[in-house]
Amino acid sequence: MDVAIVGAGAAAACLVDALSRQESEPGRLTVFDPSPQPWRGQPYARDLEQVRVNLPPQQMSARHGDDAHFADWLRSRPKDAARHLDPQLNQPLPPRAVYGDYLEETAEAAIGTLRGRGWQVQLIAERVTGAETRPGARVELHTAGGAKHRVDRAVLCVGAGSPRDVYRLAGTPGFVLDPYPLADTLDGIAADADVAVVGSGLTAVDVAVCLAAREHRGRITLLSRHGLLPHVQQRGFPFQPKHLSRARLLELAEQGQLTLHQLKPLFGAELAEFGEDPEQLAAEIGAAWTEHPAERLRRQLGEVGSEQRARRVLVRLVRSLGPLALGLLPERERKELQETHFRIVSSLCSPMVPVNAATLLALHDAGQLELVEGVERIEPALGGGFGIEATGRARLSADVVVNAVNATPYATPDCAEGLVRSLVEAGAAELGGTGGLGTESGSGRLVVDGRPDPRLLALGDIAGHSLFITSSIAGLVAQTPAVTEALLSGF
Ligand SMILES: Cc1cc2nc3c(=O)[nH]c(=O)nc-3n(C[C@H](O)[C@H](O)[C@H](O)COP(=O)(O)OP(=O)(O)OC[C@H]3O[C@@H](n4cnc5c(N)ncnc54)[C@H](O)[C@@H]3O)c2cc1C
């Protein structure tokens, strides 16, 4: 058995861990990634301390079936756990680079286990530029260095696309296209510069929080079309779905009955377990479009430990079952969810941590931070800086513009363009609506015209059937057992 993983980011680290825990005959595993910081991907690369994880440790375990895996690792580093405690959540929220250390150690330990069982494991620091996939033959991977590697199975874990340049400002002096690592990009910004941040999601929050940590004195303006900030995260509680489970979803899909209409009463039953009312939740979510963002931030900061659990139940279900459910829903419903509800689902399911919300609110209350919605145009100004036009506002200006618009979730990353193109052109893969690769729900196998190819799989941000919002560790970890099984099957 000769298997390859292309890309050594978070998905690959979780997959290697799952593989090391699976009974199997020893084989050969080759992992390709040109990154100088393997097992982290960009999100967990080394950066400023304030670039934190966005979820508590229990929701960021890299090991399926062991929610405490990351929390235990963190506990073995008490300094990190204590230093980065979010007082409201009462949870440690360490820098993402510390989480990267965890991924790296987890992957290296797994490789040690595999080698101990007789596997040959190799990490090749090269980009995979293309693949040949003749029917009935092994997959041939081509690297940037010109080497060719034949394998029985290849899993693509190449991550997501590059940040989008919505206002076509790339190359303009004072414009930062990719804000990470913030340790480098913010270094070039004067402390009294007026900074406009394009976007109002979690990356924009990272930028504002890191500017505050650097004692920035100039104005910070978050620019967005819709004016929606991420919700403020609430304290966790033990929750095991009783009605809306993976098994139930698969059962409904098998009966050809999986529709939003079918999911509604199951969700209602989950809420009823906590005495919660779906109507009240709908009203709370609807208020996101009408309530003043700063007031909503203040209110939600006061509700971190609230006894009302409906929002958290919804988020946990969307996060854990969303990728599977989305792949099984009828195309029409999937499109409707994606096109109509993308913003609100993102705001709910990618919430900001209270410690960051408190910093944002403090900046707002000090008159230093403003959220401007209805942004229509941002352009270089004569004589330097930028001019900004937003509906109902006089023209605004900024010295520096920092882009915080992430890649479209599940788009193809630049680094994997050649590889993905070669697969698509050979008819071995097809692109999903957002550019990610079409995969079979429940196995991760690449599909073309509904037919899965047992030789090619995908996991993580590139897997097109995944949820249309930014992925999470929990979402990809939930898929590792099925992908591992598909990877090892048939040998
Ligand atoms: C800014 C940010 C913050 C996030 N914070 C959190 C969080 O706090 N909690 C959470 O649960 N989730 C978070 N996420 C989401 C999630 O953890 C990531 O999206 C996750 O890293 C996805 O893993 P991946 O392996 O698919 O991609 P990545 O981790 O990006 O890894 C892809 C790897 O593939 C390599 N690669 C690409 N092309 C090739 C090629 N052709 N050949 C070889 N190698 C290649 C790249 O070098 C890279 O190392 C965050 C996401 C972002 C963008």
Side-chain angles (χ1 to χ4, degrees), residues 29-230:
L29 168 66
T30 312
V31 184
F32 298 89
D33 199 319
S35 166
Q37 298 181 38
W39 308 114
R40 294 165 180 269
Q42 196 195 44
Y44 307 108
R46 296 187 181 91
D47 205 337
L48 296 175
E49 277 211 337
Q50 291 76 19
V51 177
R52 302 179 173 90
V53 296
N54 293 313
L55 291 165
Q58 293 78 1
Q59 291 179 50
M60 288 196 62
S61 167
R63 177 167 293 174
H64 185 262
D66 182 1
D67 286 354
H69 192 248
F70 175 48
D72 290 346
W73 180 89
L74 205 53
R75 223 168 280 128
S76 71
R77 298 171 54 136
K79 259 202 219 146
D80 277 323
R83 248 179 79 212
H84 302 290
L85 191 77
D86 182 310
Q88 287 239 59
L89 283 184
N90 196 26
Q91 292 281 350
L93 297 172
R96 290 212 288 273
V98 169
Y99 187 78
D101 294 344
Y102 160 71
L103 286 177
E104 198 179 302
E105 282 185 28
T106 301
E108 280 168 3
I111 288 173
T113 305
L114 286 169
R115 284 189 176 136
R117 296 214 326 252
W119 280 72
Q120 290 174 47
V121 185
Q122 199 187 2
L123 176 61
I124 297 181
E126 280 199 63
R127 184 163 61 94
V128 174
T129 51
E132 243 181 66
T133 52
R134 265 174 270 126
R138 299 171 91 202
V139 174
E140 189 175 87
L141 298 173
H142 304 172
T143 69
K148 293 180 177 174
H149 298 260
R150 289 215 177 97
V151 293
D152 300 307
R153 304 259 196 278
V155 193
L156 273 62
C157 298
V158 292
S162 316
R164 276 171 295 156
D165 183 11
V166 179
Y167 299 96
R168 298 173 188 272
L169 295 168
T172 311
F175 177 65
V176 177
L177 174 61
D178 187 346
Y180 299 111
L182 285 158
D184 295 344
T185 54
L186 297 190
D187 226 15
I189 298 178
D192 55 359
D194 284 346
V195 180
V197 183
V198 189
S200 59
L202 288 180
T203 299
V205 174
D206 272 351
V207 175
V209 166
C210 288
L211 282 169
R214 293 167 61 93
E215 297 181 0
H216 189 77
R217 295 188 301 273
R219 275 187 303 141
I220 304 169
T221 312
L222 305 188
L223 303 173
S224 99
R225 285 184 178 148
H226 48 79
L228 200 59
L229 284 170

Side-chain angles (χ1 to χ4, degrees), residues 228 260 289 332-346 468:
L228 200 59
L260 288 174
W289 298 108
R332 184 181 44 80
E333 292 200 332
R334 183 168 41 215
K335 265 202 161 146
E336 189 192 320
L337 272 176
Q338 200 156 339
E339 284 163 12
T340 319
H341 303 295
F342 166 74
R343 302 248 172 257
I344 194 71
V345 177
S346 275
F468 51 87

Side-chain angles (χ1 to χ4, degrees), residues 26 35 37 78 111 160 213 219 259 296 314 336 376 394 421 459:
S35 166
Q37 298 181 38
I111 288 173
R219 275 187 303 141
T259 59
R296 193 162 69 98
L314 174 69
E336 189 192 320
E376 286 164 1
R421 198 179 332 110
L459 179 68

Side-chain angles (χ1 to χ4, degrees), residues 383-397:
F386 297 83
I388 299 151
E389 285 174 20
T391 315
R393 301 276 307 234
R395 191 174 161 90
L396 301 159
S397 67

